[in-house]
């Protein structure tokens, strides 16, 4: 069965510092991969997605992610974090290649220090 | 604002009771998904409907059922509630059944507390 692992439960970075959130997946075929963000009391908002093609994908709010098939990873990055980026971040894989019945990781909570 | 509306936002009930959660998808979206977010299980896919028909099923308990109506709104029915059913229930919608670059748009969730 496919799975998604986010090894970091909680990360704290200083405002202006760079950020990398890790995501590893287990999936037999070429996966559809997603990163979502959830702010307190809010639903999930899509940051970016990877289906095929260029392995470096750009998303909203200055985020990017790189798909590395050899490492089964899809890490999320941002060069300079803003205080408003404090939230919980979820990596997800589409378990039925396109049906959007997503399997989510356990999430990484990001704290931003002033 | 994603355009997906969920009601109620908060619901407190007792064990053994039955509740109904409602979801209105984005205008024009035919596909509706239900997800459960709990502290111990994380975010789990429950069920998907497309244009009134069930299309995919995840970790949905037999005590739970859902349907999508002709006007495309969906309801998730939870019965014989247990303490462990306390969770945030999300609805999401998409314009497509499958494939392509379509994305899911999530509502803000219905928080269910079972006492």
């Amino acid at each position: 069965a496919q799975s998604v692992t986010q090894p970091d439960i909680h990360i704290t970075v200083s405002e202006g510092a760079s950020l990398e959130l890790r995501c590893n997946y287990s999936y037999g075929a070429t996966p559809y991969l997603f990163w979502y963000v959830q702010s307190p009391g809010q639903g999930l908002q899509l940051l970016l997605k990877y289906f095929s093609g260029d392995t470096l994908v750009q998303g909203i709010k200055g985020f990017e992610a790189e798909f590395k098939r050899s490492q089964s990873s899809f890490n999320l990055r941002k060069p300079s974090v803003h205080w408003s980026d404090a939230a919980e971040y979820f990596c997800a894989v589409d378990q039925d290649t396109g049906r959007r019945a997503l399997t989510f990781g356990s999430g990484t909570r990001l704290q931003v220090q002033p | 604002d994603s355009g997906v509306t969920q009601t109620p936002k908060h619901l407190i009930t007792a064990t053994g009771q039955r509740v109904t959660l409602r979801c209105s998808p984005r205008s024009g979206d035919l596909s509706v998904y239900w997800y459960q977010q709990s502290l111990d299980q994380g975010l789990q896919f429950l069920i998907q409907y497309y244009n009134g028909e069930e299309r995919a099923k995840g970790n949905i308990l037999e005590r739970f059922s859902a349907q999508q109506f002709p006007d495309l709104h969906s309801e998730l029915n939870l019965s014989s509630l247990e303490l462990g059913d306390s969770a945030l229930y999300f609805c999401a919608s998409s314009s497509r059944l499958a494939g392509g670059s379509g994305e899911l748009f999530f509502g803000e969730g219905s928080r269910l507390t079972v006492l």
Side-chain angles (χ1 to χ4, degrees):
Chain A
Q2 56 284 118
S3 65
V4 178
T5 302
Q6 293 180 247
D8 304 306
I9 297 173
H10 192 190
I11 282 184
T12 301
V13 299
S14 299
E15 190 167 16
S18 63
L19 171 70
E20 182 168 26
L21 302 183
R22 296 183 291 166
C23 172
N24 292 98
Y25 64 89
S26 169
Y27 191 67
T30 300
Y32 286 14
L33 294 159
F34 305 81
W35 274 100
Y36 282 85
V37 60
Q38 183 181 24
S39 298
Q42 301 293 313
L44 291 95
Q45 182 183 23
L46 180 68
L47 287 176
L48 45 78
K49 59 198 175 195
Y50 171 78
F51 295 143
S52 63
D54 194 347
T55 56
L56 184 63
V57 293
Q58 302 297 322
I60 63 171
K61 304 185 181 187
F63 286 93
E64 66 178 26
E66 186 171 12
F67 170 62
K68 292 186 177 179
R69 185 188 302 276
S70 61
Q71 298 177 20
S72 297
S73 68
F74 188 56
N75 294 347
L76 182 71
R77 300 193 295 246
K78 187 169 184 179
S80 178
V81 168
H82 188 262
W83 63 267
S84 61
D85 293 324
E88 187 144 23
Y89 292 80
F90 293 93
C91 182
V93 61
D94 192 326
Q95 66 184 12
D96 199 8
T97 314
R99 286 195 180 274
R100 303 296 181 270
L102 303 179
T103 296
F104 283 88
S106 54
T108 298
R109 182 165 298 278
L110 173 66
Q111 253 188 319
V112 180
Q113 286 182 334
Chain B
D1 183 5
S2 67
V4 177
T5 303
Q6 291 187 245
T7 57
K9 291 194 184 308
H10 300 276
L11 188 55
I12 301 174
T13 189
T15 54
Q17 295 299 303
R18 171 190 169 96
V19 298
T20 297
L21 309 180
R22 181 188 169 101
C23 169
S24 294
R26 289 189 324 151
S27 178
D29 281 359
L30 298 177
S31 204
V32 170
Y33 303 74
W34 286 97
Y35 284 82
Q36 178 195 57
Q37 185 178 33
S38 62
L39 285 176
D40 51 348
Q41 298 290 327
L43 263 165
Q44 288 196 97
F45 165 68
L46 295 179
I47 198 163
Q48 177 204 4
Y49 279 82
Y50 179 80
N51 205 20
E53 291 188 10
E54 180 185 309
R55 289 301 184 124
K57 216 167 185 175
N59 299 323
I60 188 166
L61 299 172
E62 284 191 11
R63 299 183 286 108
F64 296 180
S65 65
Q67 54 184 327
Q68 186 180 26
F69 294 86
D71 66 352
L72 301 177
H73 91 272
S74 177
E75 293 181 356
L76 179 67
N77 301 295
L78 316 174
S79 61
S80 302
L81 285 168
E82 302 175 358
L83 296 178
D85 298 328
S86 296
L88 190 54
Y89 291 85
F90 284 110
C91 171
S93 74
S94 172
S95 60
R96 306 176 67 111
L97 170 61
S101 59
E103 66 175 272
L104 292 187
F105 293 87
F106 282 81
E108 294 187 357
S110 292
R111 182 168 295 282
L112 172 66
T113 302
V114 182
L115 300 176

